[in-house]
């Protein structure tokens, strides 16, 4: 979960006090041994009919300026579950 203080900080500083823009409140991390494994997993996620990818940040892209992140690199996905179960629970609009 995103810490409360960080959520408020982003809401005020980056999102113009608009809470609908606060996305990654719920977080998870998957570590892959190889880029091929990452690519395969992304393909599975992107083609899954129960998932909608709302945003993909590819910080592995050579065009990404790693000096701004002390060399940190990753791929970040924001997604939603789009199936009957998610709708019945009222979480189909929640972006993770």
């Amino acid at each position: 979960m995103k810490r409360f203080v960080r959520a408020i900080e982003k809401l005020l500083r980056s999102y113009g006090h608009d809470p609908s823009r606060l996305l990654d409140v719920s977080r998870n991390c998957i570590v892959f041994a190889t880029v091929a494994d990452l690519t395969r997993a992304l393909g599975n996620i992107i083609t899954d009919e129960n998932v909608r990818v709302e945003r993909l940040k590819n910080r592995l892209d050579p065009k990404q300026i790693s000096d701004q992140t002390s060399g940190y690199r990753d791929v970040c996905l924001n997604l939603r579950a789009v199936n009957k179960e998610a709708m019945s629970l009222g979480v189909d609009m929640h972006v993770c």
Side-chain angles (χ1 to χ4, degrees), residues 7 14-15 23-24 29-32 35 39 45-46 48 51 54-56 59 63 82 87:
S14 303
Y15 300 145
L23 299 179
D24 57 346
C29 176
I30 304 171
V31 177
F32 296 96
V35 173
T39 302
I45 292 168
I46 290 168
D48 187 330
V51 174
E54 296 292 339
R55 180 173 65 179
L56 186 146
R59 291 184 280 234
K63 295 175 190 166
V82 289
M87 290 174 66

Side-chain angles (χ1 to χ4, degrees), residues 5-24:
V5 172
R6 178 65 175 145
I8 295 300
E9 178 183 279
K10 289 200 81 162
L11 184 65
L12 299 177
R13 187 187 67 193
S14 303
Y15 300 145
H17 301 169
D18 181 1
S20 70
R21 296 183 59 203
L22 190 61
L23 299 179
D24 57 346

Side-chain angles (χ1 to χ4, degrees), residues 54-92:
E54 296 292 339
R55 180 173 65 179
L56 186 146
K57 289 183 186 177
N58 180 5
R59 291 184 280 234
L60 293 176
D61 187 326
K63 295 175 190 166
Q64 178 74 25
I65 303 169
S66 65
D67 294 349
Q68 297 173 352
T69 60
S70 300
Y72 180 79
R73 300 270 190 186
D74 69 359
V75 174
C76 179
L77 290 176
N78 292 114
L79 49 87
R80 293 189 299 121
V82 289
N83 55 34
K84 289 181 183 179
E85 185 177 10
M87 290 174 66
S88 71
L89 294 171
V91 295
D92 56 307

